[in-house]
Amino acid sequence: MIKRTIDEFVMLDIVDKETEEVLYTYGEALSDGKEKLVFREIHTDKTLVRLHALVEIDEETHKITKVLNEYANYDPQPERETVETISRTEKFPAEKVEILAYIDLDWGNEIQNLYEGYLIGVIGK
């Protein structure tokens, strides 16, 4: 595991111990207040996909009160994309929220179907 800061983001790389290949990268925007931007990077053969979620957090209860936005960022943009969030308890406020993406990456003569996700939660201070 490697922790690093790039511009306004703190990033955490999960690395294979034997090959030192980066398996997953998670990040969070450095910001104060109740809104937090978190993401996960997925490396494909042709592009880097970043799944974002902007959430609102109650500073007293340390729970996610709502998801303000979720989206994927990559180039080139595909024909179809669906990014959604699901509360693990099916309601808000929630301790954990799942971010899922269904993306058809269209490279002209080749289509790559991507189904990825990750789980976020709040750690109390």
Side-chain angles (χ1 to χ4, degrees):
M1 183 168 61
I2 300 168
K3 184 178 177 183
R4 58 193 165 99
T5 303
I6 297 178
D7 299 322
E8 67 274 1
F9 297 101
V10 170
M11 302 175 80
L12 185 64
D13 295 320
I14 308 300
V15 179
D16 184 292
K17 288 182 181 181
E18 293 177 14
T19 65
E20 296 184 10
E21 175 187 2
V22 175
L23 302 173
Y24 305 102
T25 298
Y26 297 93
E28 179 178 331
L30 296 169
S31 62
D32 293 330
K34 60 185 180 178
E35 290 183 6
K36 293 289 181 183
L37 177 67
V38 295
F39 61 88
R40 176 177 173 216
E41 291 182 346
I42 298 113
H43 299 269
T44 71
D45 292 340
K46 300 187 185 241
T47 192
L48 173 71
V49 177
R50 190 180 271 187
L51 301 178
H52 296 267
L54 179 63
V55 297
E56 183 178 277
I57 298 171
D58 183 311
E59 294 175 357
E60 289 181 24
T61 64
H62 302 290
K63 291 187 177 183
I64 300 167
T65 55
K66 63 180 156 181
V67 177
L68 302 170
N69 194 9
E70 67 273 333
Y71 59 97
N73 189 355
Y74 42 92
D75 187 34
Q77 287 294 98
E79 300 263 334
R80 284 189 314 159
E81 133 186 347
T82 301
V83 181
E84 61 184 32
T85 54
I86 302 168
S87 164
R88 281 290 171 110
T89 60
E90 299 182 3
K91 61 183 177 176
F92 288 93
E95 291 182 6
K96 296 179 182 173
V97 172
E98 190 170 5
I99 294 88
L100 297 172
Y102 313 94
I103 304 168
D104 291 334
L105 298 168
D106 189 348
W107 312 112
N109 60 350
E110 176 187 346
I111 294 177
Q112 180 181 359
N113 299 312
L114 185 67
Y115 174 68
E116 291 285 341
Y118 62 104
L119 185 67
I120 62 171
V122 179
I123 299 172
K125 294 183 179 183

